[in-house]
Amino acid sequence: MKNRIKRKKKENGITLIALVITIIVLLILAGIAIATLTGENGILNKTNSAKEKTQKETAKEKVQLAVMGSYGSDGNLDYDELKDNLKKVEGISYVPTKITKESFPLDVYVDNYKVTIEVNGNVTVEDQKTDNIPEPPKATTLDEARELGTTLDEKNPVTIKDKYGNKIVVPEGFKIADDSAEDVTRGVVIEDASNLETKGSQFVWIPVGEIKGANGVTKTINLNRYTFAGDGTPTPQGENVIDSYFQELATSDRGNTTAKDIEEFKTSVTKNGGYYIGRYEAGDSSATANRTDSATKTNIPVCKQGQYVYNYVTQPEAATLSKDMYQNKTFTSDLINTYAWDTAIIFIQEFSGDNDYSKQYRLQGTLAKTGEATDGTNKDVRCNIYDMAGNTYEWTTETSSHSSTPCAGEGGSYLYTSDVTSLRYRSAVSYSQESHSFRIALYL
């Protein structure tokens, strides 16, 4: 019996030692495993390193693809195309506002990696990410905006001033046009620089309020609806009914389309000191010949010179095309309203030297392309705005109280010398002709 007890104690002692040894072995193995995972050459570090290398190479590859797609047919880098392509790169947080030959080597930032583009198109990337990403320079003057290309890199409208201190608010995605005037009194022109379908469309800033000009001259432009005497003298009308029929209503049950929000437009103009109207009447972006009555009514409109006029549309169709031209949270496009039309006439009369532009009539007897003339010389242009007096009648958002002709428009056309810039006319909802087009307004 004693022997049996002794053997049992001996067996228990061996088990305890084995357990201790097992624990020690497990601890050693755990240490080895931890070292394998987290050590300097551990699996986790190697995984993170591989991940970072992949991210770095991905950033480089994105830029390389943008560069490869920016070569012109002459085999040289197109710097404007390069800028556009770089802006489309996923994860890019900085592109220089202006790219020229002198910009190289060119640094951009993608996924927090600094990527450098050499003048020969070679691309390199730094090993480590950085949070030290530069802010693009912001324009404060018209000259700076022209130099920098202004809002191509902005997410919000940018306020600049001309050489006389007049305010201009430039929407996201627009730049100052190459042939823009240097001050608002002669017509500051902005150009769509980023929207694929409407790129190149141009709009003229109509300043409202106290406007400073050359030689210290100051004039006041008031947003309003106007009637004009034979010598061009304006009379403000506000919300009055004009010529017994015409009124700018918030809504209409007559079948015509009113402004998207006329009160919002007026508030915007007061806040921003102005608004934009198309430099030209609307052109058809897809037309390859003069439009006909059977032409599509859904092509995207543009405001560019040398386009076939977007005619043969009804007033409601013109309103829809204008509203849908841009879908942007920072600015609105709409069919021109009569506050915008009439105030633009006031602006032109005050600063073009043409004191009775409201009574200007057609300069040509046949339909011409936007911003052009059939004889090549007799162009209707004041303060960089074309053809308010002629080429085509232009639909507006005004409402006529006449029961069968609720749609309204303003301006003259190539048809009659008796029809002038300040003319108001009315038509049926279904009316569309070669002589009728429209103009688009933008406000912020």
Side-chain angles (χ1 to χ4, degrees), residues 76-90:
N76 296 319
L77 266 178
D78 183 321
Y79 300 136
D80 289 337
E81 189 72 17
L82 175 61
K83 182 174 181 178
D84 287 345
N85 288 337
L86 286 172
K87 284 175 62 62
K88 297 172 186 175
V89 170
E90 183 181 356

Side-chain angles (χ1 to χ4, degrees), residues 224-225 236-243 246-248 339 398:
N224 215 314
R225 294 165 69 238
Q237 297 295 331
E239 297 180 4
N240 293 338
V241 176
I242 296 176
D243 295 340
F246 303 101
Q247 198 168 9
E248 191 74 54
Y339 284 92
E398 206 165 46

Side-chain angles (χ1 to χ4, degrees), residues 56-71:
K56 182 183 74 173
E57 291 302 316
T58 299
K60 178 181 177 181
E61 184 179 342
K62 289 177 183 178
V63 176
Q64 284 177 325
L65 289 172
V67 172
M68 290 170 60
S70 304
Y71 281 93

Side-chain angles (χ1 to χ4, degrees), residues 325-389:
M325 184 177 182
Y326 291 105
Q327 302 292 330
N328 190 289
K329 294 181 180 180
T330 64
F331 67 92
T332 298
S333 62
D334 199 3
L335 180 63
I336 195 167
N337 61 67
T338 50
Y339 284 92
W341 182 279
D342 292 350
T343 304
I345 295 176
I346 298 292
F347 166 65
I348 289 171
Q349 292 191 163
E350 289 288 358
F351 292 108
S352 71
D354 193 345
N355 296 329
D356 59 352
Y357 182 69
S358 61
K359 300 304 175 183
Q360 173 68 54
Y361 56 85
R362 75 174 196 199
L363 297 177
Q364 56 204 28
T366 55
L367 181 68
K369 291 183 178 180
T370 55
E372 297 187 354
T374 50
D375 64 1
T377 58
N378 291 323
K379 295 182 181 180
D380 169 22
V381 53
R382 307 288 192 282
C383 299
N384 270 326
I385 303 167
Y386 285 73
D387 290 325
M388 290 182 69

Side-chain angles (χ1 to χ4, degrees), residues 95-383:
V95 179
T97 307
K98 187 174 183 180
I99 298 177
T100 65
K101 185 176 181 179
E102 289 70 34
S103 303
F104 294 87
L106 182 69
D107 293 332
V108 298
Y109 290 78
V110 181
D111 300 329
N112 287 80
Y113 285 100
K114 180 180 177 181
V115 184
T116 301
I117 307 168
E118 301 292 341
V119 71
N120 61 3
N122 288 341
V123 177
T124 58
V125 59
E126 288 192 351
D127 288 334
Q128 302 297 322
K129 287 186 176 183
T130 179
D131 292 324
N132 189 25
I133 299 171
E135 288 286 335
K138 290 181 174 60
T140 58
T141 68
L142 183 59
D143 286 342
E144 290 174 350
R146 190 194 299 276
E147 178 68 20
L148 295 174
T150 189
T151 58
L152 287 178
D153 295 301
E154 304 293 341
K155 297 301 181 186
N156 298 293
V158 171
T159 299
I160 58 176
K161 292 186 177 181
D162 70 5
K163 61 183 180 180
Y164 300 127
N166 297 306
K167 178 181 178 181
I168 309 148
V169 184
V170 185
E172 175 190 355
F174 284 78
K175 68 176 184 178
I176 302 299
D178 292 340
D179 61 346
S180 170
E182 296 178 356
D183 66 273
V184 301
T185 67
R186 292 184 292 160
V188 169
V189 183
I190 61 168
E191 182 176 314
D192 186 339
S194 61
N195 297 285
L196 182 61
E197 295 88 354
T198 54
K199 190 172 182 179
S201 290
Q202 296 182 332
F203 298 84
V204 178
W205 177 249
I206 308 298
V208 172
E210 190 176 88
I211 312 303
K212 299 176 182 177
N215 303 318
V217 174
T218 299
K219 296 183 178 182
T220 301
I221 306 293
N222 292 314
L223 181 72
N224 215 314
R225 294 165 69 238
Y226 291 88
T227 54
F228 298 86
D231 62 356
T233 301
T235 300
Q237 297 295 331
E239 297 180 4
N240 293 338
V241 176
I242 296 176
D243 295 340
S244 303
Y245 290 107
F246 303 101
Q247 198 168 9
E248 191 74 54
L249 300 175
T251 60
S252 171
D253 58 2
R254 298 178 179 275
N256 65 306
T257 302
T258 58
K260 185 174 181 179
D261 189 330
I262 193 63
E263 293 304 320
E264 180 183 73
F265 169 78
K266 290 190 282 187
T267 299
S268 167
V269 174
T270 300
K271 175 183 176 182
N272 294 294
Y275 59 96
Y276 290 96
I277 66 171
R279 189 179 190 181
Y280 314 100
E281 61 209 317
D284 186 334
S285 60
S286 302
T288 56
N290 282 330
R291 288 170 54 85
T292 65
D293 193 30
S294 61
T296 176
K297 311 297 192 293
T298 57
N299 288 345
I300 295 172
V302 291
C303 299
K304 297 193 286 189
Q305 189 171 27
Q307 301 289 308
Y308 288 102
V309 173
Y310 212 134
N311 51 8
Y312 286 108
V313 289
T314 65
Q315 190 271 348
E317 289 167 343
T320 297
L321 289 165
S322 300
K323 291 176 182 179
D324 292 347
M325 184 177 182
Y326 291 105
Q327 302 292 330
N328 190 289
K329 294 181 180 180
T330 64
F331 67 92
T332 298
S333 62
D334 199 3
L335 180 63
I336 195 167
N337 61 67
T338 50
Y339 284 92
W341 182 279
D342 292 350
T343 304
I345 295 176
I346 298 292
F347 166 65
I348 289 171
Q349 292 191 163
E350 289 288 358
F351 292 108
S352 71
D354 193 345
N355 296 329
D356 59 352
Y357 182 69
S358 61
K359 300 304 175 183
Q360 173 68 54
Y361 56 85
R362 75 174 196 199
L363 297 177
Q364 56 204 28
T366 55
L367 181 68
K369 291 183 178 180
T370 55
E372 297 187 354
T374 50
D375 64 1
T377 58
N378 291 323
K379 295 182 181 180
D380 169 22
V381 53
R382 307 288 192 282
C383 299

